[in-house]
Amino acid sequence: MAWRALTLALFAFTLSAYAHAGERDVRLDGLGGTYATPDTGDTHKAVVIVAGSGPTDRNGNNRLGVHTNNLEQISDALTAAGIAVLRYDKRGIGASKALVTDEATLRFDDFVEDARRWADWAGSRERVTCVFMLGHSEGGLIATLVAERRALAGLMLVTSPGRTLGGLLREQLSRNLTDAGVRTRALSILDALAGGKTVADVPDSLRNIFRPSVQPYLVSVLDIDPARELAQLDVPTLIVSAGRDLQVDKADFDALKAARPDATAALVPEMNHVLKDVPADRDGNLAAYRNPDLPLSPDFVSAIRGFLASTPCPN
């Protein structure tokens, strides 16, 4: 597929009423984001942050009860270290809401192309020397696929899956659905979708996962293997795993490491999926999903800053 070139005429900028110092709201082809620059007149590297699954906004929050501000916190941590950062609302969310008028038309590749366009945008900034991409959770797969389409200086895959979404869903449904009949029906629907077929008759108990309007999107992503895609790349890569992650486990970390033995790997023992250090108990872990004032794990911040500092821009 031929990707059309971006031109500066596509970029419209507005100042944000709520942006931090050094931040401004930016627009690109109907997408809304925030561009933060360090307090220096020198040239600098740039990072594009790609959010994870669900209706997640540029700050890392969503209407399903997640309020962490973790992506905004990453931006603050990196700009303080002299890095420019672009974070954005996923299509269908926040300032990018108008891009999705019918959920049934959405495909995973839409998210990949959005991220690629933002990478091109960041790379066109006057003082930017090169572009890195940081993908959180499912955003790691998006970032990996972007790296197949345009040159990046580096990838940071943060608590990202190393197995197909189909495999992860099968594992989660098998483990969490206690009603045998509902579990059997869920797995049969998943099998149909994995085979490229949609299912019209979905029980009410499963509509949140398999409603007909979301099925075309699931078909478009279920069999993409993050480890296989990563293995095809030679771009410098940091793989970050969280020791107290309730959503992505060590098997995913191991799969990504096996795919790229040369990658830098960091395991943060007390960090959870939303990048905060948490206690060992489940309730304490989940409380972090609703605490935007809880800081990022210091070891995580050190890992991403260290990777950026030690990875040079390509010649």
Side-chain angles (χ1 to χ4, degrees):
M1 183 175 183
W3 310 109
R4 59 186 177 81
L6 295 175
T7 66
L8 292 179
L10 295 173
F11 309 140
F13 304 92
T14 59
L15 291 177
S16 170
Y18 54 84
H20 297 180
E23 290 188 345
R24 67 175 184 267
D25 273 9
V26 293
R27 301 285 298 176
L28 169 63
D29 287 354
L31 295 162
T34 298
Y35 186 54
T37 53
D39 186 18
T40 173
D42 300 333
T43 58
H44 42 248
K45 299 171 181 176
V47 172
V48 176
I49 299 176
V50 186
S53 61
T56 306
D57 68 16
R58 70 185 76 180
N59 294 329
N61 307 319
N62 70 49
R63 62 176 181 266
L64 302 179
V66 177
H67 190 195
T68 69
N69 280 350
N70 58 358
L71 303 187
E72 180 182 25
Q73 291 172 329
I74 292 173
S75 178
D76 290 344
L78 294 183
T79 53
I83 308 294
V85 180
L86 185 285
R87 65 188 195 273
Y88 62 95
D89 294 331
K90 293 170 64 175
R91 63 170 52 218
I93 306 301
S96 307
K97 185 175 182 178
L99 286 179
V100 179
T101 58
D102 181 1
E103 182 180 56
T105 66
L106 187 63
R107 302 294 184 271
F108 188 71
D109 195 66
D110 295 328
F111 293 129
V112 178
E113 267 299 280
D114 291 343
R116 184 196 63 80
R117 288 197 296 270
W118 278 121
D120 286 348
W121 183 91
S124 71
R125 301 306 90 200
E126 184 177 356
R127 292 187 290 138
V128 168
T129 51
C130 60
V131 177
F132 292 72
M133 191 162 276
L134 184 154
H136 176 236
S137 192
E138 185 183 70
L141 174 58
I142 293 172
T144 299
L145 297 179
V146 170
E148 295 178 357
R149 302 181 182 187
R150 62 101 64 207
L152 295 174
L155 279 176
M156 290 171 279
L157 308 181
V158 178
T159 62
S160 297
R163 295 167 288 169
T164 65
L165 177 60
L168 288 171
L169 278 177
R170 176 169 293 279
E171 178 182 295
Q172 292 171 2
L173 293 170
S174 298
R175 180 174 64 241
N176 296 324
L177 294 179
T178 56
D179 184 295
V182 174
R183 182 171 61 248
T184 298
R185 181 59 179 146
L187 294 176
S188 71
I189 294 173
L190 184 59
D191 286 341
L193 296 175
K197 298 178 181 178
T198 57
V199 178
D201 182 19
V202 178
D204 289 343
S205 59
L206 295 173
R207 290 185 69 85
N208 187 49
I209 306 171
F210 294 125
R211 60 191 177 278
S213 61
V214 80
Q215 290 182 27
Y217 173 80
L218 290 174
V219 169
S220 74
V221 66
L222 279 177
D223 65 348
I224 302 176
D225 186 336
R228 183 177 62 213
E229 300 298 334
L230 182 62
Q232 300 177 33
L233 301 175
D234 59 5
V235 61
T237 300
L238 170 68
I239 304 169
V240 179
S241 179
R244 293 178 176 166
D245 197 327
L246 298 176
Q247 295 167 252
V248 176
D249 61 30
K250 189 173 181 297
D252 297 285
F253 183 49
D254 290 344
L256 294 176
K257 287 197 301 178
R260 283 288 306 281
D262 63 314
T264 302
L267 172 61
V268 185
E270 296 183 356
M271 188 172 76
N272 73 351
H273 189 70
V274 295
L275 316 179
K276 313 296 180 79
D277 284 343
V278 295
D281 65 287
R282 183 179 178 87
D283 288 344
N285 193 321
L286 292 175
Y289 285 68
R290 303 180 299 277
N291 185 356
D293 297 323
L294 191 65
L296 295 171
S297 167
D299 289 343
F300 166 66
V301 173
S302 294
I304 58 175
R305 280 179 167 178
F307 176 76
L308 287 163
S310 63
T311 306
C313 289
N315 294 327

